[in-house]
Amino acid sequence: MPANTDRYENAVSRYFEAWNARESKARTKAVAATWAVGGGYTDPLADVVGHEQIAGVIAAAHEQFPGFAFRLTGTVEGHHDTARFSWELVSEVDGSAPVAGSDVITLAGDGRIRSVLGFLDRVPDGA
């Protein structure tokens, strides 16, 4: 069981590294390390496939919320090739967290993400 738990936690750790990469070059590298080739990301605001498009969604989030970072809330739960977890987007200035959500990921054999299904649990008005 610990090896499987580590697999999910490692994938989610890389996921947050990608989402928190602010520089284009670092983001490109983190996305490639996190998502399998042809991997996808879907939430209520985006439905993209491939490293370039995923990096674009992440860049857009940083443009909309400068000075914010994605943080895990709670624990990562997983079975088979699937894991779920919750997160929030936290201001590095005042600690506020205007956006929160939950994601379900499916892993490829190499531990990288094949797909993400994201749900937004809290979104500010006008976002």
Side-chain angles (χ1 to χ4, degrees), residues 90-106:
V90 180
S91 168
E92 295 174 341
V93 173
D94 65 12
S96 64
V99 182
S102 299
D103 292 353
V104 176
I105 62 173
T106 303

Side-chain angles (χ1 to χ4, degrees), residues 26-97:
R27 186 170 39 250
T28 297
K29 183 177 178 181
V31 167
T34 303
W35 270 269
V37 173
Y41 177 86
T42 302
D43 72 15
L45 306 174
D47 187 9
V48 298
V49 174
H51 293 169
E52 187 175 320
Q53 290 184 0
I54 293 167
V57 168
I58 294 170
H62 284 286
E63 288 173 18
Q64 186 173 4
F65 294 97
F68 283 75
F70 289 88
R71 302 281 185 245
L72 178 68
T73 60
T75 59
V76 177
E77 296 180 279
H79 63 81
H80 296 86
D81 290 331
T82 304
R84 70 177 178 174
F85 55 93
S86 296
W87 53 268
E88 60 186 2
L89 186 59
V90 180
S91 168
E92 295 174 341
V93 173
D94 65 12
S96 64

Side-chain angles (χ1 to χ4, degrees), residues 17-18 20-33 51 55 59:
E17 286 176 24
N20 287 321
R22 294 187 177 144
E23 300 295 323
S24 178
K25 195 172 196 175
R27 186 170 39 250
T28 297
K29 183 177 178 181
V31 167
H51 293 169

